[in-house]
Amino acid sequence: MPENSQKPKVLVADDERVIADTLAMILNQSGFEAKAVYSGEKALEIAASFAPDMLISDVIMADLNGIDAAIQVRALLPKILLFSGQAATADLLEKARAQGYEFEILAKPVHPQDLLNKLRG
């Protein structure tokens, strides 16, 4: 890869800090520029300044769920990947679908290799 080529930027949002930090670390070691945040609100806050190529977000978070955050940042970045280990996700996805939003969901725990394959695919 030429020196001046930019690494794809990925914003990782999960209210479980260990997960967010671990995913960001793996992505950073795998040729991405990743930043971890711990809430949907924070993801929205820094999306404009960080200008990521992609958002990877947990769905169920305390303040702003991942789907609502994704809907709000969609105008800024077309590539969004959500992950969740909770059943409540299905209801939120249905609601988003009814409003015309379609999101790809990975089941938690996310295997790093699956995630990298998705990002590179």
Side-chain angles (χ1 to χ4, degrees):
M1 222 179 341
E3 271 313 299
N4 63 358
S5 74
Q6 283 204 305
K7 294 178 180 179
K9 288 179 165 184
V10 182
L11 183 57
V12 181
D14 193 327
D15 56 359
E16 291 180 61
R17 288 173 179 257
V18 172
I19 293 174
D21 290 342
T22 304
L23 285 177
M25 189 179 71
I26 291 165
L27 290 168
N28 282 322
Q29 290 169 348
S30 304
F32 294 88
E33 182 184 335
K35 191 174 271 199
V37 293
Y38 312 117
S39 71
E41 290 290 345
K42 197 72 186 154
L44 290 182
E45 223 173 272
I46 75 156
S49 58
F50 181 55
D53 298 298
M54 175 180 237
L55 168 68
I56 299 174
S57 178
D58 186 17
V59 172
I60 309 296
M61 293 187 283
D63 61 344
L64 179 67
N65 75 61
I67 291 174
D68 288 343
I71 288 170
Q72 290 184 46
V73 298
R74 186 149 231 177
L76 295 171
L77 60 152
K79 207 159 186 194
I80 294 169
L81 188 60
L82 300 173
F83 56 88
S84 178
Q86 298 186 33
T89 299
D91 299 340
L92 292 168
L93 267 180
E94 274 313 305
K95 226 165 64 183
R97 254 190 216 115
Q99 298 166 14
Y101 296 101
E102 220 28 82
F103 295 106
E104 192 170 1
I105 297 264
L106 283 179
K108 262 177 141 173
V110 177
H111 189 281
Q113 198 52 56
D114 293 342
L115 180 63
L116 291 170
N117 292 342
K118 280 264 183 252
L119 293 178
R120 293 186 172 131

